[in-house]
Amino acid sequence: MKLKIGIFSAVVASFFIAGCGGAGVGGSSWNSAQKSEFLEILQEDRYSSVCDLQPMINQYQQTKDDKILSKLLVNYTENLANGCIDIDSFQRELKAKNPNAHYEVYKEYVSSSDVLGKLSKGASIQSILEPYVPQMPQFYPLINAYNSAISPVSKYKIKLNIERVKLLNPNNWDTYVLINVPEYKFRLFENGQKTLEFKVIVGKPSWPTPIFSSTMKYITVHPTWNVPDNIARKEEIPKIIRDKSYLKRHNMVVKRDYGLDSPTVDPSKINWREYLKPEWENRELPYKIIEQSGSRNALGRVKFMFPNRYSVYMHDTNNKKLFAYPQRAFSHGCVRLEKPLKLLGHISTYYTKQKFEEVGEILKAKKTKYVNLAQNIPVHIVYLTAYVENGVVNFFGDIYGYDRMQKLRVPTTMVEKEVKVQ
């Protein structure tokens, strides 16, 4: 099984995916059927995981050394499990360029002794590799698109997205929400079938929507907007300092915490300039700015909550005109939904214990209420600039620059001589 072992982001930079070379393996007994099967897999690169292994393949072809072939199998499995993107390089560049960016990866532990143990027991190569094949449904369609693509630019972009798929959370790809950020698209899949699809607005390049997986657990009807500390420091507090009526005009209050029943604090008694000093940059603010529910609330009438460390969620918006734009990167990282009430109706019908009519009454009451899901829904926020639908591969703009920052461990001729990623 895959294990989530870390997050690389501009803030958290402690983990990275190890390279594929240098696996310590000894000789293992290969039977002729296994050799033929593996050499055929390598020849066609069935799982798109040769990546940087061509020199080792050439070495085996020259020597026919079973130890080299065993090492190849372990390294091919590692490439299949954990991709061929230079994570360390991407991590450093992301940290340097954008402190607001977050991109989770999910690494799978590959045991060379387990792989070679199965080999020595006569298992087929397909059965050895199968546990490491990504369950995300785009994996094989992207490989097919790569094999049929002619343009070097298209092939490179598709290959990059194949490797991204390998880094996604391996679990919960049957019934789930998929937000593809570069596509500005929401999809709900149920039992493997797409049942809902509509537009979304995502984070602007300076405040990117994080790439990660979580689980939707409840819905807030008529939500308040709890302004995160980082946004408060960078945007709201300077406005409060310049304009004493700012909070009142925007239906905002100040409290000691985000609790609905917490008493308010008089903002005129607070030395707001104190919290713009450098020493407060990474500290929790003692005061919380909250936009109360209402017709002008930035979150609209409903938000869908999947708890996460980034304080992002999916929500309604009172600025519907932005959905008319083809490029919709306008938020502070949260995902604004084109059809939130349609999603509310579907989820309240099939995923809550409350009847659809009851949720409708809550909506009419115009008071902040919570609706728990009886069946939680996995949420995957992904960054795929190539996506296959109905057998056709579609390409999308690199709105956060990740196509440029994520380098593949592939032969240099493919990157330098054939293609430049725009």
Side-chain angles (χ1 to χ4, degrees):
M1 63 178 289
K2 277 196 177 183
L3 302 173
K4 173 185 169 185
I5 69 159
I7 301 170
F8 61 78
S9 70
V11 177
V12 183
S14 302
F15 304 98
F16 61 94
I17 289 181
C20 297
V25 297
S28 297
S29 53
W30 287 77
N31 62 45
S32 59
Q34 291 171 321
K35 278 189 182 180
S36 297
E37 182 187 7
F38 187 42
L39 292 174
E40 183 178 327
I41 288 172
L42 291 174
Q43 176 66 29
E44 64 186 51
D45 197 7
R46 188 177 304 167
Y47 300 94
S48 192
S49 296
V50 166
C51 300
D52 53 352
L53 299 179
Q54 192 59 52
M56 197 183 299
I57 294 173
N58 296 341
Q59 187 181 8
Y60 172 75
Q61 290 172 340
Q62 293 168 5
T63 64
K64 306 302 181 184
D65 185 341
D66 281 3
K67 291 183 179 179
I68 296 174
L69 194 62
S70 297
K71 189 175 181 179
L72 259 173
L73 177 60
V74 172
N75 280 271
Y76 193 85
T77 306
E78 177 73 25
N79 283 359
L80 172 60
N82 297 314
C84 302
I85 293 173
D86 185 344
I87 302 294
D88 195 22
S89 170
F90 174 59
Q91 177 185 2
R92 289 192 302 268
E93 188 170 355
L94 188 65
K95 180 180 180 181
K97 286 188 174 181
N98 195 340
N100 297 317
H102 306 270
Y103 195 121
E104 286 198 18
V105 298
Y106 298 80
K107 186 181 178 180
E108 184 170 6
Y109 173 67
V110 177
S111 167
S112 60
S113 60
D114 180 61
V115 170
L116 298 179
K118 292 178 180 178
L119 179 73
S120 65
K121 291 178 181 178
S124 69
I125 305 304
Q126 179 177 334
S127 68
I128 293 172
L129 296 174
E130 190 62 33
Y132 306 99
V133 174
Q135 297 304 300
M136 200 278 184
Q138 282 289 300
F139 182 62
Y140 284 119
L142 282 170
I143 290 178
N144 292 336
Y146 175 83
N147 291 334
S148 61
I150 298 174
S151 162
V153 173
S154 296
K155 288 183 79 73
Y156 184 84
K157 191 156 187 169
I158 295 169
K159 174 64 175 171
L160 181 60
N161 285 277
I162 292 171
E163 303 312 309
R164 285 180 179 147
V165 167
K166 295 176 185 178
L167 297 174
L168 295 175
N169 189 317
N171 303 314
N172 302 315
W173 292 102
D174 183 35
T175 294
Y176 59 96
V177 166
L178 183 73
I179 304 290
N180 188 18
V181 172
E183 191 181 4
Y184 310 104
K185 186 67 67 71
F186 169 102
R187 293 179 177 90
L188 173 64
F189 291 88
E190 295 172 300
N191 300 316
Q193 301 298 314
K194 183 175 67 177
T195 52
L196 285 178
E197 177 180 304
F198 47 78
K199 298 175 183 177
V200 298
I201 292 168
V202 299
K204 49 193 171 184
S206 58
W207 293 88
T209 295
I211 307 304
F212 71 108
S213 294
S214 186
T215 304
M216 189 193 306
K217 296 184 176 181
Y218 66 97
I219 302 166
T220 306
V221 181
H222 295 296
T224 58
W225 179 37
N226 300 329
V227 181
D229 283 357
N230 56 350
I231 296 177
R233 276 188 293 265
K234 293 184 179 181
E235 297 191 9
E236 301 303 314
I237 291 177
K239 293 175 183 176
I240 295 170
I241 293 171
R242 290 195 302 267
D243 181 359
K244 293 181 179 180
S245 65
Y246 176 80
L247 291 171
K248 184 177 181 180
R249 288 191 296 103
H250 288 83
N251 197 28
M252 288 178 163
V253 295
V254 178
K255 299 183 178 185
R256 285 285 187 176
D257 58 54
Y258 292 126
L260 290 176
D261 298 324
S262 297
T264 59
V265 177
D266 184 352
S268 66
K269 306 295 185 183
I270 300 171
N271 180 12
W272 291 107
R273 295 184 187 276
E274 172 71 19
Y275 304 111
L276 297 183
K277 293 180 180 179
E279 56 263 34
W280 281 97
E281 185 173 353
N282 296 311
R283 294 167 60 187
E284 182 179 359
L285 297 179
Y287 300 99
K288 305 302 180 184
I289 302 170
I290 301 169
E291 182 183 12
Q292 300 178 99
S293 61
S295 60
R296 295 175 58 193
N297 185 280
L299 305 186
R301 295 155 291 182
V302 59
K303 65 179 178 179
F304 302 85
M305 302 300 294
F306 41 101
N308 59 84
R309 70 184 66 199
Y310 312 114
S311 300
V312 301
Y313 35 81
M314 298 182 293
H315 65 89
D316 185 16
T317 176
N318 55 24
N319 195 356
K320 304 292 188 182
K321 65 182 181 180
L322 295 179
F323 288 105
Y325 289 84
Q327 297 179 347
R328 296 183 294 278
F330 302 117
S331 82
H332 285 95
C334 287
V335 178
R336 304 177 194 173
L337 305 174
E338 180 191 25
K339 299 179 180 179
L341 296 187
K342 185 172 184 178
L343 180 60
L344 176 65
H346 188 91
I347 290 179
S348 62
T349 300
Y350 298 107
Y351 295 92
T352 71
K353 292 182 179 179
Q354 293 172 280
K355 295 180 181 179
F356 172 74
E357 291 76 15
E358 292 180 72
V359 176
E361 290 301 315
I362 293 174
L363 193 64
K364 291 178 184 177
K366 296 186 178 180
K367 292 183 179 180
T368 301
K369 296 288 184 181
Y370 302 106
V371 178
N372 292 321
L373 271 62
Q375 177 186 343
N376 294 339
I377 305 174
V379 176
H380 301 289
I381 303 180
V382 304
Y383 193 90
L384 297 178
T385 52
Y387 187 94
V388 179
E389 195 158 35
N390 299 321
V392 178
V393 60
N394 300 289
F395 297 100
F396 310 105
D398 183 22
I399 59 174
Y400 298 156
Y402 296 163
D403 279 8
R404 295 189 298 274
M405 283 189 267
Q406 293 179 344
K407 308 295 191 301
L408 292 177
R409 291 182 286 102
V410 294
T412 55
T413 53
M414 179 179 183
V415 183
E416 296 173 2
K417 295 183 179 181
E418 294 185 26
V419 60
K420 284 187 177 180
V421 178
Q422 301 300 318

